[in-house]
């Protein structure tokens, strides 16, 4: 067994690996970029080594720097986690050259399955059926388009070297083929350094089901049952469960048999996952790809088997045999995992960034997290913050437990998809175990929206918490007058006018104060709120219209981050007179412009100064959290100024292109 292990990754998976290493008595070494200097995985490891600037290509994707860190710290093994270098042959070669064990399968297995085109050919030769499609060497756009039309629309255009939802486009109309091929190839080249594509027939009612396999270096190979990962957005998984619900015995047996057959064909020697499409109508099984690494969703398999899969990986890499035979691996109960990402589900799952003002976890479930209160969510890496895993005696018990736990979780700061996950878990289709990969689009055809909220009470509550906390500490000329403005004489209530903002919405309210009791008057009516500050400044006991509640909130001089019913976000708050002065000072009458919708890197600029553009025309592309976002012109006009260039890092809201009407 190894004495010291370096983790070539970050976030929740790095923290997860550290947990197993501690159990095994293995010293851990973390690596970190400049953006992750204060990250949780850095503090949890025994030793941490800096490896470069924030962009992954200059740090976490630098195999040479990973090897240097291992040599400096005496690490005998490197665990790559998933993503980054987990399936990169250059890291394995460097490990072998320096006598360092790689926690993963052999280079030959990774090479065989890492190229989707070659993997499909190997699967066919092994008797594992695949989805009809094109995986030829000729890669011209004309050939790809011709083959897509031959196969018949709809089709999936997919990166050959891809994974994690990158370089994938569904095409239903011929007019969209050219753009889909170009975009998928560009995204694949950026993410994997390989722009080759394959075309697959789109199965009309597909389920995404995968089989966990494990092999050692003595030729032993087993499966650890299957997982259903059908609930996805942009081809990235959001909810995963084990075992897969509503499968016929013959379909389940076919999945296990095909997975073992493929693993044996390539002499697989660590943990891996064989992914399949299952036709929900016929339950036919089609091979998709094999991921030669640990999967994000491995905890649900751990929950139903009682096994530590990271421990299996380490023991296999150390030369040990598989810890159990096939007949010793059993399935108990049901487990469901939710991926909590920093995204705005109501805005098409747009990634969000910022500092986490409050992270409060629920009890009774497993949580694999890489963040905590005070952590920074940057635009440089994947948007996933944590995984919440519930296990129960049956599927419905696990589903209810997971939904309830998410209901009792609070994340203030960057927006998360927590409310969406709760909603999805409680949808009848998911509850019945009938979700396909079309689940989100069919359930919310116009896009997901949060449930209706009591905005009047929400705003009154935020204003009262802000005012109760900020009165003694406000800075500037308005703070100097706070007590005079807010407290009346002779026991009469003093009044103050506040400006509240949330997103693009703003309002003015009047708030009357007498001690700790506030009467808030809004455009919609009046609400009386009593606020008492407890010992924990993030958990507030309140009296709202006679009802006693406890709410999670974090306030500062500029507003309140609040969890209230379905709402979890930030309300900007200022004295109205200060807000009006700031508005007058900042007004400038800017015309139409294209701005960065989030922090990121400018990937492409498609226009030049003087060009005419139409409303909705794509004029730039922004890369953020490993995704490419098309930026469109808000109106027809003339490009007056191009303020950005490819490769430039842009802040959220930063001007990229200025337009004049025309």
């Amino acid at each position: 067994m190894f004495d010291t292990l370096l983790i070539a990754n970050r976030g929740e998976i790095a923290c997860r690996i550290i947990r197993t290493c501690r159990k095994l008595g293995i010293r851990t070494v973390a690596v970190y970029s400049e953006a992750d200097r204060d990250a949780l995985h850095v503090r949890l490891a025994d030793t941490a080594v800096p490896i470069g600037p924030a962009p992954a290509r200059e740090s976490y994707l630098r195999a040479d720097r990973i090897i240097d860190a291992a040599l400096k710290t005496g690490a005998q093994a490197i665990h790559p986690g998933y993503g980054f270098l987990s399936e990169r042959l250059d890291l394995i070669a460097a490990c072998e050259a320096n006598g360092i064990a790689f926690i993963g399968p052999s280079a030959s297995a990774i090479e065989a399955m890492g190229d989707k085109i070659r993997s499909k050919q190997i699967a066919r030769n092994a008797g594992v059926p695949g989805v009809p499609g094109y995986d030829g060497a000729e890669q011209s756009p004309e050939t790809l388009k011709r083959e897509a039309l031959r196969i018949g629309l709809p089709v999936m255009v997919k990166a050959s070297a891809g994974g994690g939802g990158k370089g994938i486009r569904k095409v239903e109309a011929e007019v969209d083929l050219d753009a889909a091929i170009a975009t998928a190839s560009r995204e694949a080249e950026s993410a994997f350094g390989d722009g080759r594509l394959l075309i697959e027939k789109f199965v009309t009612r597909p389920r995404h089901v995968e089989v966990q396999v494990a092999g050692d270096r003595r030729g032993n190979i087993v499966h650890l049952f299957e997982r259903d990962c059908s609930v996805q957005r942009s081809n990235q998984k959001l909810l995963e469960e084990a075992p897969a619900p509503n499968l016929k015995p013959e379909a389940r047996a076919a999945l296990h048999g095909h997975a073992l057959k493929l693993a044996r064909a390539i002499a697989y020697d660590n943990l891996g996952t064989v992914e399949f499409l299952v036709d929900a109508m016929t339950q036919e099984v089609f091979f998709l790809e094999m991921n030669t690494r640990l999967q994000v969703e491995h905890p649900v398999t751990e929950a139903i088997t009682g096994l530590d899969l990271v421990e299996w990986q380490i023991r296999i890499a150390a030369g040990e045999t598989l810890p159990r035979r096939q007949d010793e691996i059993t399935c108990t109960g049901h487990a469901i995992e939710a991926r909590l990402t920093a995204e705005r589900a109501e805005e098409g799952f747009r990634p969000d960034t910022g500092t986490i003002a409050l992270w409060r976890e629920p009890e009774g479930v497993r949580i694999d997290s890489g963040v905590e209160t005070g952590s920074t969510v940057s635009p440089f890496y994947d948007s996933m913050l944590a995984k919440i895993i519930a296990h129960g005696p049956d599927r419905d018990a696990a589903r209810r437990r997971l939904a309830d736990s998410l209901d009792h979780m609070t994340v203030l700061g960057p927006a998360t998809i927590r409310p969406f996950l709760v909603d999805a878990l409680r949808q009848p289709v998911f509850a019945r175990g009938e979700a396909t990969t079309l689940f989100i689009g069919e359930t919310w055809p116009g896009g997901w929206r949060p449930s209706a909220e009591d905005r009047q009470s929400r705003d009154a509550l935020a204003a009262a918490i802000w005012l109760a906390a900020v009165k003694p500490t406000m800075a500037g000329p308005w703070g100097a007058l706070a007590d005079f403005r807010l407290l009346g004489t002779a026991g009469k209530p003093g009044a103050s006018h506040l400006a509240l903002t949330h997103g693009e919405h703003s309002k003015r309210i009047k708030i009357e104060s007498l001690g700790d009791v506030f009467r808030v008057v809004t455009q919609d009516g009046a609400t009386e709120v009593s606020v008492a500050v407890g010992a924990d400044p993030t958990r507030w006991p309140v009296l709202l219209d006679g009802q006693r509640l406890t709410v999670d909130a974090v306030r500062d001089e500029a507003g309140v981050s609040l969890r209230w019913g379905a709402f979890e976000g930030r309300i900007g708050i200022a004295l109205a007179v200060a807000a009006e002065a700031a508005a007058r000072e900042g007004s400038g009458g800017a015309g139409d412009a294209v701005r960065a919708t989030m922090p990121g890197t400018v990937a492409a600029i498609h226009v030049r100064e003087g060009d005419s553009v139409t409303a909705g025309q794509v004029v730039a592309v922004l890369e953020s959290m490993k995704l490419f976002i098309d930026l469109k012109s808000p109106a027809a006009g003339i490009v007056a100024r191009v303020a950005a260039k490819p490769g430039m890092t842009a802040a959220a809201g930063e001007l990229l292109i200025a337009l004049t009407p025309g």
Side-chain angles (χ1 to χ4, degrees):
M1 184 53 69
F2 311 111
D3 295 324
T4 303
L5 183 149
L6 182 143
I7 303 161
N9 217 300
R10 62 179 301 279
E12 61 86 17
I13 186 55
C15 297
R16 161 71 187 90
I17 296 168
I18 290 171
R19 188 165 66 245
T20 289
C21 287
R22 283 182 176 172
K23 181 178 70 174
L24 297 175
I26 299 173
R27 177 175 169 266
T28 56
V29 178
V31 294
Y32 63 92
S33 70
E34 291 176 3
D36 281 339
R37 184 178 301 276
D38 299 317
L40 182 59
H41 77 279
V42 173
R43 297 203 305 278
L44 290 179
D46 296 298
T47 303
V49 180
I51 54 171
R57 61 182 174 273
E58 300 177 38
S59 50
Y60 295 107
L61 288 173
R62 288 286 299 270
D64 57 336
R65 292 180 180 175
I66 299 294
I67 294 295
D68 284 345
L71 294 174
K72 288 177 182 177
T73 56
Q76 301 157 309
I78 292 177
H79 197 308
Y82 40 71
F84 292 138
L85 296 171
S86 60
E87 296 173 284
R88 286 273 293 271
L89 298 176
D90 55 342
L91 177 61
I92 299 176
C95 284
E96 292 176 350
N98 288 277
I100 300 171
F102 176 77
I103 310 295
S106 64
S108 61
I110 291 178
E111 187 175 20
M113 293 291 105
D115 184 322
K116 286 186 174 63
I117 292 175
R118 185 182 174 197
S119 71
K120 290 180 182 297
Q121 295 167 346
I122 293 173
R124 278 198 298 270
N125 293 337
V128 179
V131 180
Y134 172 76
D135 55 15
E138 175 53 51
Q139 287 284 303
S140 69
E142 296 76 18
T143 298
L144 293 170
K145 182 176 182 179
R146 183 176 64 252
E147 290 297 322
L149 295 175
R150 177 187 62 79
I151 295 164
L153 301 178
V155 297
M156 296 295 288
V157 178
K158 304 176 71 172
S160 177
K166 307 298 184 300
I168 300 179
R169 293 293 185 277
K170 177 186 175 184
V171 183
E172 298 183 84
E174 182 177 350
V175 68
D176 297 324
L177 261 175
D178 291 334
I181 290 169
T183 303
S185 180
R186 180 181 63 204
E187 202 166 78
E189 182 67 40
S190 174
F192 316 112
D194 185 343
R196 289 177 304 143
L197 303 174
L198 56 89
I199 311 292
E200 288 179 347
K201 178 68 178 175
F202 181 76
V203 178
T204 306
R205 305 284 312 163
R207 291 176 60 182
H208 188 129
V209 185
E210 60 192 28
V211 179
Q212 179 74 68
V213 296
D216 61 26
R217 294 172 183 173
R218 292 169 174 80
N220 301 304
I221 293 178
V222 298
H223 73 77
L224 293 89
F225 308 104
E226 77 288 339
R227 301 183 287 253
D228 189 302
C229 310
S230 297
V231 178
Q232 305 176 4
R233 58 92 179 87
S234 301
N235 299 294
Q236 291 184 308
K237 305 162 187 173
L238 294 179
L239 293 172
E240 301 114 337
E241 57 184 301
N246 297 329
L247 275 184
K248 296 177 182 178
E250 53 268 32
R252 203 180 304 272
L255 286 163
H256 298 165
H258 290 325
L260 291 173
K261 195 181 298 182
L262 182 63
R264 291 188 182 109
I266 59 172
Y268 200 73
D269 61 344
N270 206 271
L271 269 287
T273 301
V274 186
E275 302 198 355
F276 298 90
L277 274 185
V278 176
D279 190 316
M281 306 298 291
T282 66
Q283 298 221 348
E284 287 182 275
V285 173
F286 303 104
F287 170 71
L288 274 180
E289 62 181 329
M290 184 176 188
N291 288 309
T292 52
R293 52 171 167 78
L294 193 68
Q295 290 279 90
V296 175
E297 56 272 23
H298 76 274
V300 293
T301 298
E302 293 183 323
I304 64 169
T305 61
L307 304 173
D308 184 332
L309 299 193
V310 173
E311 180 179 347
W312 275 46
Q313 286 189 294
I314 294 172
R315 291 192 179 281
I316 293 168
E320 298 183 19
T321 59
L322 290 181
R324 295 193 187 183
R325 301 189 308 270
Q326 187 70 70
D327 60 0
E328 296 174 325
I329 302 169
T330 58
C331 174
T332 302
H334 200 96
I336 307 178
E337 170 182 292
R339 299 192 190 189
L340 186 70
T341 59
E343 296 174 335
R344 296 184 179 275
E346 68 276 19
E347 297 179 19
F349 295 92
R350 176 175 70 80
D352 204 12
T353 59
T355 299
I356 297 176
L358 176 63
W359 178 270
R360 199 185 300 282
E361 297 181 352
E363 298 178 352
V365 291
R366 171 178 167 177
I367 297 181
D368 285 10
S369 168
V371 296
E372 59 187 351
T373 298
S375 294
T376 298
V377 181
S378 80
F380 297 104
Y381 314 116
D382 190 88
S383 62
M384 189 171 68
L385 305 179
K387 304 175 301 195
I388 299 87
I389 306 98
H391 182 242
D394 55 45
R395 184 177 186 274
D396 197 54
R399 182 185 64 83
R400 290 175 180 272
R401 182 173 298 168
L402 182 56
D404 183 69
S405 297
L406 286 165
D407 239 351
H408 288 84
M409 185 175 193
T410 297
V411 185
L412 298 179
T416 75
I417 64 169
R418 185 198 59 78
F420 164 81
L421 292 170
V422 174
D423 198 356
L425 286 163
R426 290 174 175 163
Q427 289 296 317
V429 171
F430 186 84
R432 293 193 301 267
E434 297 174 356
T436 70
T437 59
L438 308 175
F439 170 73
I440 293 178
E442 291 181 341
T443 306
W444 298 282
W448 179 83
R449 293 290 180 271
S451 57
E453 59 187 77
D454 182 352
R455 293 186 179 181
Q456 176 179 313
S457 296
R458 178 201 72 187
D459 293 343
L461 190 57
I465 290 174
W466 183 81
L467 208 52
V470 86
K471 277 193 300 181
T473 59
M474 286 182 65
W478 314 114
L481 299 174
D483 285 348
F484 173 79
R485 300 174 70 83
L486 297 173
L487 300 179
T489 59
K492 295 181 180 179
S496 182
H497 295 268
L498 302 180
L500 274 62
T501 57
H502 174 61
E504 298 179 353
H505 304 285
S506 62
K507 65 165 34 173
R508 297 288 190 269
I509 64 171
K510 183 176 77 171
I511 184 164
E512 299 174 347
S513 170
L514 182 59
D516 288 333
V517 178
F518 296 93
R519 177 179 174 81
V520 180
V521 182
T522 69
Q523 298 170 349
D524 305 315
T527 303
E528 187 172 294
V529 183
S530 176
V531 179
V533 180
D536 182 348
T538 64
R539 182 151 280 182
W540 298 72
V542 301
L543 186 66
L544 177 61
D545 281 344
Q547 181 181 5
R548 293 190 178 276
L549 306 166
T550 301
V551 299
D552 289 334
V554 177
R555 88 295 186 270
D556 54 48
E557 292 186 2
V560 172
S561 295
L562 173 72
R563 168 78 191 279
W564 165 245
F567 178 80
E568 193 171 54
R570 178 174 174 78
I571 307 291
I573 305 177
L575 293 176
V577 63
E580 290 168 4
R584 285 195 300 270
E585 193 173 308
S587 63
D592 290 325
V594 177
R595 299 180 181 274
T597 54
M598 66 195 76
T601 301
V602 178
I605 297 290
H606 294 317
V607 294
R608 293 178 295 181
E609 293 180 5
D611 285 354
S612 296
V613 296
T614 58
Q617 178 180 336
V618 176
V619 295
V621 179
L622 187 71
E623 182 181 4
S624 184
M625 290 186 171
K626 304 195 317 189
L627 295 175
F628 286 86
I629 300 97
D630 289 338
L631 302 181
K632 301 177 181 179
S633 173
I638 306 296
V639 177
R641 179 185 170 211
V642 176
K645 59 182 179 180
M648 183 188 93
T649 299
E654 184 171 346
L655 174 69
L656 303 181
I657 298 170
L659 306 170
T660 56

